[in-house]
């Protein structure tokens, strides 16, 4: 090979994650200049990542927390979720999100890392190197007292479910139990007051139509409808759910007894 050796190709492959033929081609175009070849691979890699973006989903990945910030960094596979560079980037990103108090994906992407790059730039660069679509899938920032629960699906994987609960009170254990409840039972809202009126009305309409289809007595339909709507609210509202630690007691009752008031929560989950 003119201007470079097989060892140079291997070095470029190891540094960039590119294929052997891509690495060889880049070194040829760069006349053996390692830095220029690396740049060529990054440029072509970014172009390929952008082209594939619409067809590929970064639904896997990990969830990470730091100083009030929860971030879901998405990747295509759990193989990348285990990657040390990917995990290091996630740690840098969540620190930047916390420092910027970024409370949306857009704001998170605009946050600046210690390197001076924006989060979006750093994610794009690693995406080109790894060869998978990567993205900030979710981001949130909490400025109050919080309890955090990060769940690993397997010992060799990073956390892929993350919950942050903001609360008032002194019982951190009760608040963390609430975070575990959110992780396990996936409530969408804190209280029934947060459930959109049109969603609640649709549930009521379905419950009424179902009761009539089942041939329930007309006079019993309103009571049946209310019962089914209440069951729906117990599914989707954290404070109405039966506790995972005591299924005969609502979460609200357990929190009240602990002197804890949950004010909001967020739950992010990377696909299995």
């Amino acid at each position: 090979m003119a201007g470079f050796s097989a060892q140079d190709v291997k070095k470029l492959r190891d540094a960039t994650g590119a294929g052997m033929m891509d690495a060889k081609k880049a070194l040829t175009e760069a006349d053996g200049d390692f830095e220029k070849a690396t740049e060529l691979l990054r440029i072509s890699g970014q172009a390929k990542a952008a082209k594939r973006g619409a067809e590929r989903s970064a639904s896997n990945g990990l969830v990470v927390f730091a100083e009030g910030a929860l971030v879901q960094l998405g990747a295509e596979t759990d193989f990348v979720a285990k990657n040390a560079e990917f995990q290091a980037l996630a740690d840098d990103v969540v620190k930047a999100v916390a420092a910027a108090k970024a409370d949306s994906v857009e704001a998170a992407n605009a946050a600046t890392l210690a390197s001076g790059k924006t989060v979006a730039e750093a994610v794009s660069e690693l995406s080109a190197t790894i060869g998978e679509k990567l993205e900030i899938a979710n981001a949130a920032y909490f400025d109050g007292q919080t309890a955090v629960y990060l769940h690993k699906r397997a010992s060799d994987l990073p956390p892929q479910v993350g919950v942050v609960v903001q609360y008032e009170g002194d019982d951190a254990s009760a608040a963390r139990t609430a975070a575990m409840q959110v992780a396990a039972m996936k409530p969408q809202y804190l209280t029934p007051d947060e459930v959109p009126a049109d969603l609640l009305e649709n549930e009521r309409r379905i419950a009424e139509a179902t009761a009539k289809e089942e041939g329930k007595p007309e006079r019993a339909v309103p009571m049946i409808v209310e019962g089914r709507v209440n069951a729906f609210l117990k599914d989707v509202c954290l404070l109405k759910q039966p506790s995972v630690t005591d299924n005969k007691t609502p979460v609200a009752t357990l929190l009240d007894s602990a002197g804890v008031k949950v004010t909001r929560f967020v739950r992010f989950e990377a696909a299995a």
Side-chain angles (χ1 to χ4, degrees):
M1 298 179 198
F4 58 91
S5 66
Q7 286 74 22
D8 293 326
V9 175
K10 182 179 185 303
K11 179 182 176 183
L12 185 60
R13 287 184 64 194
D14 292 343
T16 64
M20 182 183 72
M21 295 307 297
D22 288 334
K24 182 178 177 181
K25 180 181 177 183
L27 280 167
T28 300
E29 290 183 22
D31 293 324
D33 186 315
F34 188 85
E35 295 301 325
K36 186 176 179 181
T38 301
E39 184 176 322
L40 287 170
L41 283 172
R42 284 179 57 188
I43 291 170
S44 64
Q46 287 171 337
K48 286 187 285 186
K51 183 177 180 180
R52 292 192 301 252
E55 300 95 38
R56 297 167 73 169
S57 172
S59 58
N60 209 293
L62 58 77
V63 180
V64 63
F65 174 84
E67 301 175 358
L70 185 70
V71 172
Q72 179 184 346
L73 181 57
E76 293 180 56
T77 64
D78 62 6
F79 179 77
V80 168
K82 301 174 187 178
N83 179 285
E85 280 188 276
F86 182 76
Q87 293 180 18
L89 176 61
D91 288 339
D92 290 343
V93 166
V94 76
K95 291 173 186 173
V97 169
K101 300 183 179 181
D103 200 28
S104 67
V105 169
E106 182 178 13
N109 276 319
T112 304
L113 299 171
S115 65
K117 298 174 184 175
T118 65
V119 167
E121 288 169 344
V123 170
S124 179
E125 288 183 8
L126 187 58
S127 175
T129 299
I130 289 178
E132 277 200 11
K133 180 179 179 180
L134 309 180
E135 65 182 9
I136 303 299
N138 285 298
Y141 177 76
F142 287 68
D143 56 5
Q145 181 175 237
T146 58
V148 182
Y149 178 66
L150 301 177
H151 177 71
K152 290 185 176 184
R153 295 195 180 99
S155 60
D156 63 338
L157 286 171
Q160 294 187 302
V161 178
V163 175
V164 179
V165 168
Q166 186 167 307
Y167 70 98
E168 299 169 0
D170 298 323
D171 194 331
S173 178
R176 189 170 188 276
T177 298
M180 294 174 69
Q181 173 89 23
V182 173
M185 302 308 293
K186 307 180 184 180
Q188 298 169 257
Y189 309 98
L190 180 61
T191 70
D193 291 341
E194 294 182 0
V195 181
D198 56 344
L199 177 60
L200 200 57
E201 182 56 35
N202 189 55
E203 287 298 318
R204 194 179 302 278
R205 186 163 50 247
I206 291 171
E208 182 176 356
T210 302
K212 290 179 178 179
E213 181 68 23
E214 292 171 347
K216 304 296 185 184
E218 191 69 30
R219 65 181 180 276
V221 169
M223 187 181 300
I224 293 170
V225 169
E226 288 308 307
R228 289 177 177 173
V229 168
N230 282 332
F232 167 74
L233 292 174
K234 285 182 180 180
D235 282 340
V236 300
C237 298
L238 172 62
L239 297 185
K240 287 185 70 69
Q241 286 184 342
S243 170
V244 291
T245 60
D246 177 2
N247 61 17
K248 294 182 179 179
T249 306
V251 170
T253 301
L254 292 180
L255 290 174
D256 286 345
S257 66
V260 169
K261 178 183 179 182
V262 172
T263 55
R264 63 179 179 138
F265 68 86
V266 69
R267 180 186 188 278
F268 297 155
E269 178 176 4

